[in-house]
Amino acid sequence: MRRNAGFTLVEIMIVVAIIALLAVIGLPSLLRARQQTQNAKFCNALRVASNAIETYAAEHNAYPTDANRSVVPSGMATYLDATLNWTGPTPIGGQWDWDFNVFGFKAAISVVNPTASAAQLLDIDKRIDDGDLTTGAFQDMSAGRYSDIIEE
């Protein structure tokens, strides 16, 4: 009698099929969890930036002057550096931008050219605002700019 010490081709194919099926079932959940994590990180970073700007305004009786994308607004380095990487990409891609007396409002923190999908940005708006990107505090300002309006 001969002993077979290995697996048959059919047994290996069944194991591979089961693993592939589990991956197909689990991948969408993993991607959804990753997206929810990005959204939460962005909302938190936006809250931190808003608090830093409002603290600056309270201490100096004025908002900082307007700054270009990824440039720390004048006087804000001590308020932002320890908690937020303003010069790096946002958690949803794109760049941070401080807007003062531009785009029809007095003060806003914007993310410019985020890599997040429209559905992801709408989900962010639902978390922090009214769920409508055309109204409320978090708005789609067009041309790839999404702004959290601090003061109109």
Side-chain angles (χ1 to χ4, degrees):
M1 287 178 79
R2 197 176 110 198
R3 271 176 52 113
N4 289 339
F7 296 105
T8 66
L9 182 59
V10 172
E11 290 170 332
I12 292 173
M13 288 174 49
I14 289 172
V15 169
V16 169
I18 290 171
I19 291 171
L21 182 63
L22 290 173
V24 167
I25 291 170
L27 190 59
S29 296
L30 178 66
L31 294 176
R32 196 170 30 258
R34 181 176 176 219
Q35 185 180 46
Q36 293 297 326
T37 301
Q38 283 179 335
N39 293 356
K41 284 175 69 175
F42 177 75
C43 290
N44 186 56
L46 193 58
R47 181 189 53 79
V48 167
S50 294
N51 288 344
I53 294 287
E54 289 172 355
T55 301
Y56 176 93
E59 291 177 1
H60 296 88
N61 295 320
Y63 289 112
T65 57
D66 188 51
N68 290 327
R69 298 175 193 172
S70 295
V71 174
V72 176
S74 180
M76 289 295 302
T78 57
Y79 296 87
L80 292 171
D81 281 349
T83 57
L84 181 70
N85 181 8
W86 188 268
T87 59
T90 74
I92 59 170
Q95 301 167 307
W96 292 110
D97 191 13
W98 166 242
D99 298 318
F100 180 66
N101 285 332
V102 292
F103 304 111
F105 45 80
K106 187 169 184 175
I109 297 170
S110 299
V111 57
V112 183
N113 299 325
T115 56
S117 67
Q120 189 173 354
L121 289 161
L122 187 60
D123 183 54
I124 289 168
D125 189 48
K126 288 177 186 175
R127 286 175 179 248
I128 61 175
D129 198 20
D130 60 359
D132 184 354
L133 286 167
T134 61
T135 62
F138 188 72
Q139 294 185 21
D140 178 358
M141 305 307 289
S142 76
R145 177 180 295 275
Y146 296 84
S147 298
D148 182 34
I149 301 169
I150 297 172
E151 186 176 338
E152 288 192 51

